[in-house]
């Protein structure tokens, strides 16, 4: 394709239907749920296959280092990572992307994709993308409608109108005007829609020029346009990231692109497609997407099955042994186990809401917490103590910090730690330890070529993460 196509990746949402793996601190797009690559890595590589342009990734500020690290892992060395001050849904996010791209080329073609979808047939996708680009060059906002094969209640639908006629399109090209967008239906309604033969699943992907999208924003959602244009104009640099101006961005209504633009514009077009798309929005969808054995079971991790059929069993933690089960879905992490029946995957979000109402930290956070320098895992916690495993990447270092309420004892398990303790700089090899008293400025650093592994024992009456006073931080973090 000779057109300048810019992949725009929306990396928002918390994926609560895929709990306990997907959580607010580390949502589904950052997990390798189906293949060895994570969903966001697959999405960016999909864009790279058709465009040499750097992807524009819009994400939560709290996830910026995760995104950057996952891009580094797949060789994307110069992604443009834009930080949302807070989630305002897809409408403002896409509008911000349009204003950013229009600064350099108003006619650039935006290929907007969610970071968490699966596509099995890349060649068929490219054929549909070629049609969508032709429509976008004529001023249309094109989306991809997926031919439905069952009455799915977790997707929105698109009712097709008359065929789109343009000189660049062949007579029988599967591109149509959009008659209407339909919200996620009940099962009975979904069955009735499919019987009409004129509906498609709404993939949530859009192809449009930056200029066309801005024009439609200004016409149909001026409040979004004013807020996001200001947020882009007043953005700041934060290391390798671009921060949208918080005051401006928060003025925007929180609304999906479907409600804000797609349902109102007269320029909506849909490409009828069949490229094996799934939004991987539930464990049912994971079961559908994974390879299965002769009994219909999809497994991942340390799993043993006996006399079981059509089950999804996945574990990142303990062994799961299943006997005599049918249509069961069992997913375990190091700190939680979820059990439900196939066909009830959409209801997992209700479990998360209950956990949130109880204030349970498993609703939003894993035991393993990722930081720009590496990660830590809470191993044990009790009255006035906590034990963590800390892993620091090569050349990574924590902030220079101190605590008002806790002391720390570090035991080096693997590698050699460079430790700043007040005015001293110490080298602590494996099998040795160092003590950090309350209130003492300190820093942990890995100057080696291999990961540094440390066991940290915290003692004190208050052990929460907000008891950190940062004195210096190479990552310029504003939050804990």
């Amino acid at each position: 394709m000779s057109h300048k196509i810019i992949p725009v990746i929306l990396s928002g949402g918390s994926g609560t239907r895929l709990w306990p793996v997907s959580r607010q601190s580390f949502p589904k797009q950052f997990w390798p749920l189906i293949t060895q690559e994570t969903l966001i890595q697959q999405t960016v590589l999909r864009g790279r296959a058709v465009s040499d342009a750097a992807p524009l990734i819009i994400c939560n500020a709290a996830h910026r280092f995760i995104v950057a690290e996952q891009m580094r892992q797949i060789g994307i060395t110069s992604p443009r990572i834009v930080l949302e001050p807070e989630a305002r849904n897809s409408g403002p996010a896409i509008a911000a992307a349009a204003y950013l791209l229009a600064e350099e080329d108003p006619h650039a073609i935006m290929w907007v994709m969610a970071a968490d979808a699966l596509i099995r047939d890349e060649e068929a996708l490219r054929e549909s993308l070629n049609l969508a680009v032709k429509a976008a060059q004529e001023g249309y906002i094109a989306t991809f409608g997926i031919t439905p094969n069952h009455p799915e209640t977790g997707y929105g639908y698109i009712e097709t109108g008359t065929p789109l006629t343009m000189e660049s399109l062949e007579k029988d090209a599967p591109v149509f005007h959009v008659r209407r967008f339909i919200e996620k239906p009940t099962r009975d309604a979904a069955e009735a829609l499919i019987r009409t033969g004129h509906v498609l699943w709404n993939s949530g992907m859009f192809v449009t020029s930056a200029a066309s999208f801005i024009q439609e924003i200004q016409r149909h959602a001026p409040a979004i346009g004013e807020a996001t244009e200001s947020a882009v104009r007043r953005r700041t640099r934060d290391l390798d990231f671009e921060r949208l101006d918080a005051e401006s961005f928060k003025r925007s209504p929180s609304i999906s692109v479907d409600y804000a633009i797609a349902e109102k514009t007269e320029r909506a077009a849909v490409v009828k497609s069949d490229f094996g798309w799934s939004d991987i929005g539930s464990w049912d969808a994971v079961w559908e997407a994974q390879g299965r054995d002769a009994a219909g079971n999809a497994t991942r991790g340390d799993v043993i099955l006996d006399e079981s059929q059509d089950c999804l069993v996945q574990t990142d933690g303990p062994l799961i042994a299943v006997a005599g089960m049918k249509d069961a879905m069992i997913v375990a992490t190091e700190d939680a186990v979820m059990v439900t029946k196939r066909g009830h995957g959409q209801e997992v979000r209700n479990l998360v809401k209950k956990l949130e109402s109880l204030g349970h930290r498993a609703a939003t956070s894993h035991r393993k917490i990722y930081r720009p320098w590496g990660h830590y895992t809470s191993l044990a916690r009790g009255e006035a103590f906590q034990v963590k495993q800390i892993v620091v990447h090569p050349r990574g270092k924590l902030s220079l910090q101190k605590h008002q309420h806790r002391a720390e004892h570090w035991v080096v398990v693997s590698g050699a730690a460079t430790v700043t303790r007040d005015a001293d700089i110490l080298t602590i090899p494996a099998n040795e330890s160092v003590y950090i008293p309350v209130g003492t400025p300190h820093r942990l650093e890995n100057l080696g070529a291999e990961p540094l592994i440390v066991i940290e024992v915290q003692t004190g009456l208050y052990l929460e993460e907000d008891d950190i006073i940062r004195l210096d931080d190479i990552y310029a973090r504003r939050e804990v």
Side-chain angles (χ1 to χ4, degrees):
M1 294 181 185
S2 59
H3 324 293
K4 185 177 181 182
I5 301 173
I6 312 295
V8 175
I9 317 298
L10 305 183
S11 180
S14 56
T16 54
R17 289 174 294 172
L18 286 170
W19 186 88
V21 170
S22 179
R23 306 186 196 180
Q24 183 177 327
S25 66
F26 206 86
K28 65 176 179 175
Q29 62 265 32
F30 302 128
W31 291 97
L33 291 172
I34 306 299
T35 67
Q36 294 302 310
E37 288 99 15
T38 68
L39 292 175
I40 191 173
Q41 288 173 332
Q42 287 182 292
T43 303
V44 170
L45 290 173
R46 193 174 300 135
R48 174 53 58 90
V50 300
S51 174
D52 292 332
L56 192 160
I57 303 171
I58 300 182
C59 71
N60 186 312
H63 298 152
R64 63 196 184 280
F65 295 110
I66 301 171
V67 172
E69 172 62 17
Q70 293 206 352
M71 293 303 99
R72 185 197 64 78
Q73 291 171 358
I74 58 173
I76 305 297
T77 57
S78 57
R80 189 175 185 182
I81 302 175
V82 179
L83 310 181
E84 288 183 300
E86 64 177 47
R88 305 301 287 167
N89 217 312
S90 58
I94 299 173
Y99 280 109
L100 284 163
L101 296 178
E103 290 180 339
E104 298 179 4
D105 180 7
H107 301 292
I109 301 298
M110 304 164 54
W111 178 17
V112 181
M113 298 173 275
D116 52 10
L118 174 70
I119 290 174
R120 299 181 185 88
D121 189 339
E122 302 280 349
E123 182 56 38
L125 170 65
R126 282 191 284 272
E127 293 175 4
S128 291
L129 178 63
N130 186 42
L131 297 174
V133 167
K134 290 179 179 180
Q137 289 177 321
E138 296 296 325
Y140 287 92
I141 297 176
T143 188
F144 300 89
I146 311 301
T147 304
N149 55 24
H150 65 275
E152 174 62 50
T153 61
Y155 301 155
Y157 286 70
I158 298 172
E159 183 179 357
T160 58
T162 57
L164 195 66
T165 55
M166 301 187 321
E167 289 185 6
S168 59
L169 289 176
E170 296 182 5
K171 182 179 179 181
D172 296 326
V175 187
F176 304 87
H177 292 279
V178 172
R179 179 165 293 161
R180 62 173 174 143
F181 288 83
I182 303 165
E183 278 301 292
K184 297 175 182 177
T186 64
R187 184 172 184 83
D188 288 345
E191 290 174 348
L193 286 169
I194 290 176
R195 283 196 296 270
T196 69
H198 297 295
V199 296
L200 306 166
W201 286 336
N202 185 356
S203 71
M205 287 192 289
F206 291 88
V207 178
T208 176
S209 73
S212 293
F213 194 83
I214 290 171
Q215 184 180 55
E216 295 303 285
I217 276 283
Q218 292 173 342
R219 178 179 301 162
H220 299 291
I224 295 177
E226 184 279 327
T228 54
E229 189 278 333
S230 176
V232 166
R233 179 166 34 85
R234 299 173 62 186
R235 71 189 183 277
T236 56
R237 295 293 304 185
D238 181 352
L239 299 178
D240 293 330
F241 311 105
E242 296 175 64
R243 278 187 184 269
L244 298 174
D245 178 66
E247 180 182 349
S248 300
F249 196 72
K250 291 176 182 179
R251 290 201 302 267
S252 173
S254 179
I255 187 171
S256 72
V257 66
D258 288 348
Y259 283 137
I261 301 300
E263 293 183 359
K264 299 176 182 178
T265 181
E266 297 176 354
R267 307 290 290 174
V270 59
V271 180
K272 184 178 181 180
S273 307
D274 190 8
F275 41 69
W277 170 90
S278 169
D279 76 343
I280 308 297
S282 69
W283 289 115
D284 290 300
V286 173
W287 180 83
E288 290 281 354
Q290 282 190 347
R292 299 189 289 277
D293 64 19
N297 298 305
T299 63
R300 191 181 185 103
D302 196 2
V303 174
I304 294 177
L305 298 176
D306 183 61
E307 297 295 326
S308 296
Q309 182 179 349
D310 295 332
C311 295
L312 170 74
V313 187
Q314 174 174 316
T315 178
D316 296 320
L319 163 71
I320 298 181
V322 180
M325 299 294 289
K326 178 177 173 58
D327 294 330
M329 298 200 296
I330 305 169
V331 181
T333 61
E334 292 181 344
D335 64 340
V337 179
M338 186 283 301
V339 181
T340 189
K341 186 177 181 181
R342 266 199 328 109
H344 292 259
Q346 300 289 341
E347 298 164 17
V348 173
R349 66 174 65 185
N350 296 330
L351 295 176
V352 178
K353 290 179 181 178
K354 289 184 177 181
L355 287 168
E356 289 173 341
S357 69
L358 296 170
H360 202 299
R361 75 174 58 194
T364 57
S365 299
H366 286 272
R367 286 172 56 191
K368 179 181 286 187
I369 303 296
Y370 291 84
R371 293 290 186 253
W373 44 261
H375 56 82
Y376 68 83
T377 303
S378 179
L379 303 178
R381 188 181 180 115
E383 186 79 26
F385 80 91
Q386 181 171 209
V387 181
K388 293 180 177 179
Q389 181 194 63
I390 299 174
V391 178
V392 185
H393 297 316
R395 309 302 175 185
K397 62 180 177 181
L398 283 66
S399 61
L400 181 66
Q401 59 186 253
K402 62 182 180 179
H403 311 295
Q404 293 180 306
H405 303 288
R406 71 175 184 248
E408 295 174 341
H409 194 143
W410 293 338
V411 181
V412 178
V413 175
S414 178
T418 299
V419 177
T420 300
R421 185 178 62 181
D422 212 346
D424 299 324
I425 298 180
L426 312 170
T427 299
I428 312 298
N431 300 319
E432 294 191 14
S433 63
V434 62
Y435 176 68
I436 310 294
V438 175
T440 301
H442 59 281
R443 168 178 266 157
L444 181 63
E445 184 174 0
N446 180 12
L447 298 179
E450 300 296 329
L452 168 67
I453 302 176
V454 172
I455 297 298
E456 175 184 84
V457 180
Q458 302 176 353
T459 56
L461 296 178
Y462 186 79
L463 303 174
E464 300 303 323
E465 285 300 296
D466 57 4
D467 182 25
I468 295 178
I469 301 173
R470 286 204 174 98
L471 307 174
D472 178 62
D473 183 27
I474 64 170
Y475 306 107
R477 285 170 289 175
R478 304 180 185 185
E479 70 289 326
V480 174

